[in-house]
Amino acid sequence: MTESHHFRVLEFYSGIGGMHYAFDESGHQGKILRAFDINTTANEVYAHNHGKKHLAQRNIEAVPMEYYDEQQADVWLMSPPCQPYTRTGNKAGSKDARAKSFLYLMDILPKMTHPPNYILLENVKGFEESDSRDFLVEALMGAGYEFQELLITPLQLGIPNSRMRYYCLARKTDNKPDEDAILSDPMLALKVEKLDKYIEFKDVADERMQRYMIPDKTLIKYGALFDIVKESTRRSCCFTKGYYHYVESTGSILQMAHEKDVRYGTEAPNADEYNAKALALLRTLGLRYFTENEVARLMGFPVLEGKFSFPEKTSLKQRYRVLGNSINVKVVSHLIRYLLTSKTENISEKKAEKEAGKDPEVRSESS
């Protein structure tokens, strides 16, 4: 029988608390020792839901290695800044100033007296091709970790949102899923929930909808670029920090008039006439942005349970930005459960073997 363990956790790049919620949902017992982030808005949201006690608004690289050693943390959870690796960013990798803190952690890891037994790292697809990933692998191998690297989308867990992310699971001692294949397979697609379960407001006449409706100027300029989904859809695009402010490649748009299927048709004789026709058609669809709570729910935050909310003073734009920088709680909770459960089982097995007079060899190698 697996022994229970009370894990000591350091949460790096804590944002709005995604890793905190993921650890809670993993079913493991533990304590968040410190949560590090320098984003004021994100820290306000974190404090609103988890309190200020463990928050540390400090540059990670400004904290001496001795401090991290003194914590004697079992687990490091981290989601470093993704801008150096994203396809819409500069792809400067480790040359980007925003990678400095991550490189610092990788530098001190092999030098620590009390390094963590487990590390979970999340980042955008693209990180696996960066030089930062090379630094990660070098640090893990140099410090005696075995590790697995994964590319996972929430669609594999039945969540109707595309958010392909790189994960590295490491413990002391390439699998890219095809999203289109998941949805084209009748049996697999049925396991993905429809979006209607995540929709907060369904009546276009609801006064609260006004701030989320797409303005006419945006409909005309970007209507052809929208990724439009309905309540019955089993997929939505990845929501980024630019959602609600920018249109292209920032997330899906919800069609409230789900029974309609409108096409532009043949182009009119002149641009003004064509634009007027297109606008009239688009208006009938009742197009709107997903609300911040709907996005949060798609990302696994416990909104309905009343365990996650935003401070009233957090602006709508800020809410979307911090969500876009966060993790999918549901996906990471499963990964934490897998990482820590398999390790504690191994610890129990080795303890039993040792008590039986065996001395199993302990090997550490990369996957």
Side-chain angles (χ1 to χ4, degrees):
M1 185 174 183
T2 302
E3 296 179 359
S4 61
H5 185 81
H6 195 83
F7 293 97
R8 296 168 59 83
V9 183
L10 284 181
E11 188 180 5
F12 295 101
Y13 316 100
S14 49
I16 57 176
M19 288 289 186
H20 192 137
Y21 283 113
F23 183 83
D24 288 346
E25 192 169 323
S26 74
H28 288 286
Q29 300 296 313
K31 175 184 179 182
I32 304 295
L33 304 173
R34 278 287 182 271
F36 294 89
D37 206 295
I38 59 172
N39 186 298
T40 301
T41 300
N43 283 339
E44 288 173 350
V45 178
Y46 191 106
H48 176 73
N49 291 286
H50 299 299
K52 298 180 180 179
K53 182 178 179 181
H54 305 299
L55 264 177
Q57 189 159 344
R58 300 180 62 184
N59 286 317
I60 290 169
E61 66 272 25
V63 179
M65 180 182 71
E66 290 73 18
Y67 176 85
Y68 297 127
D69 249 335
E70 290 170 1
Q71 302 302 308
Q72 297 191 32
D74 299 299
V75 185
W76 281 9
L77 303 177
M78 63 176 73
S79 180
C82 64
Q83 292 87 347
Y85 320 107
T86 181
R87 61 189 176 88
T88 57
N90 56 26
K91 291 190 175 181
S94 296
K95 295 182 177 65
D96 191 306
R98 288 166 290 194
K100 185 178 180 180
S101 58
F102 172 68
L103 297 180
Y104 172 72
L105 290 175
M106 294 304 99
D107 179 61
I108 68 171
L109 184 63
K111 305 172 184 176
M112 293 179 65
T113 304
H114 301 289
N117 288 317
Y118 328 95
I119 298 173
L120 185 147
L121 180 144
E122 182 261 13
N123 214 288
V124 293
K125 182 185 181 306
F127 179 90
E128 76 281 5
E129 299 173 350
S130 72
D131 60 344
S132 293
R133 183 264 176 188
D134 296 336
F135 284 111
L136 168 66
V137 170
E138 183 180 354
L140 292 176
M141 294 182 68
Y145 287 83
E146 59 179 6
F147 62 92
Q148 292 178 274
E149 297 176 280
L150 305 155
L151 287 171
I152 297 179
T153 173
L155 288 170
Q156 291 172 281
L157 275 69
I159 302 168
N161 181 238
S162 296
R163 195 177 183 83
M164 185 76 71
R165 287 295 183 267
Y166 166 89
Y167 298 94
C168 180
L169 310 180
R171 54 188 170 225
K172 269 289 197 184
T173 63
D174 241 68
N175 312 313
K176 180 184 174 182
D178 188 334
E179 293 186 334
D180 292 327
I182 292 172
L183 293 174
S184 62
D185 185 315
M187 295 304 295
L188 292 177
L190 287 175
K191 295 180 181 179
V192 179
E193 297 171 333
K194 294 181 179 178
L195 281 168
D196 61 352
K197 176 182 176 180
Y198 296 82
I199 302 305
E200 185 176 13
F201 304 121
K202 299 186 178 182
D203 185 359
V204 72
D206 192 320
E207 293 183 358
R208 293 171 294 182
M209 276 292 89
Q210 293 310 306
R211 70 191 308 199
Y212 302 104
M213 301 306 293
I214 310 294
D216 284 354
K217 63 179 182 179
T218 304
L219 288 175
I220 285 295
K221 189 173 182 179
Y222 299 107
L225 300 176
F226 290 153
D227 176 70
I228 300 175
V229 298
K230 302 178 182 180
E231 292 179 27
S232 58
T233 306
R234 298 183 189 270
R235 182 176 187 170
S236 57
C237 285
C238 176
F239 295 97
T240 74
K241 67 176 186 178
Y243 192 67
Y244 193 81
H245 186 63
Y246 299 105
V247 172
E248 190 172 6
S249 301
T250 61
S252 297
I253 301 297
L254 183 65
Q255 177 180 323
M256 301 284 282
H258 53 83
E259 74 285 352
K260 294 184 178 294
D261 185 15
V262 177
R263 291 181 172 80
Y264 283 83
T266 305
E267 189 168 335
N270 60 71
D272 289 340
E273 184 178 344
Y274 178 67
N275 285 343
K277 180 181 179 182
L279 179 59
L281 290 172
L282 287 169
R283 281 174 176 168
T284 66
L285 299 180
L287 299 178
R288 71 163 173 87
Y289 295 102
F290 280 76
T291 71
E292 67 273 38
N293 285 333
E294 291 167 349
V295 174
R297 289 188 60 204
L298 281 166
M299 294 178 65
F301 284 87
V303 177
L304 292 185
E305 297 85 345
K307 296 180 180 179
F308 175 83
S309 62
F310 290 97
E312 289 187 12
K313 69 176 183 178
T314 308
S315 71
L316 189 59
K317 181 179 179 180
Q318 289 175 322
R319 296 180 184 195
Y320 285 121
R321 285 184 67 84
V322 294
L323 282 168
N325 283 330
S326 190
I327 64 167
N328 188 289
V329 171
K330 187 72 68 175
V331 172
V332 176
S333 72
H334 280 276
L335 292 174
I336 292 174
R337 184 179 302 125
Y338 163 73
L339 174 64
L340 302 187
T341 300
S342 57
K343 183 60 179 178
T344 53
E345 286 175 349
N346 288 340
I347 291 174
S348 298
E349 289 171 2
K350 288 174 181 175
K351 182 178 179 181
E353 289 176 345
K354 189 173 182 179
E355 290 174 349
K358 299 179 182 179
D359 189 13
E361 179 186 0
V362 177
R363 292 183 295 115
S364 302
E365 56 187 35
S366 65
S367 60

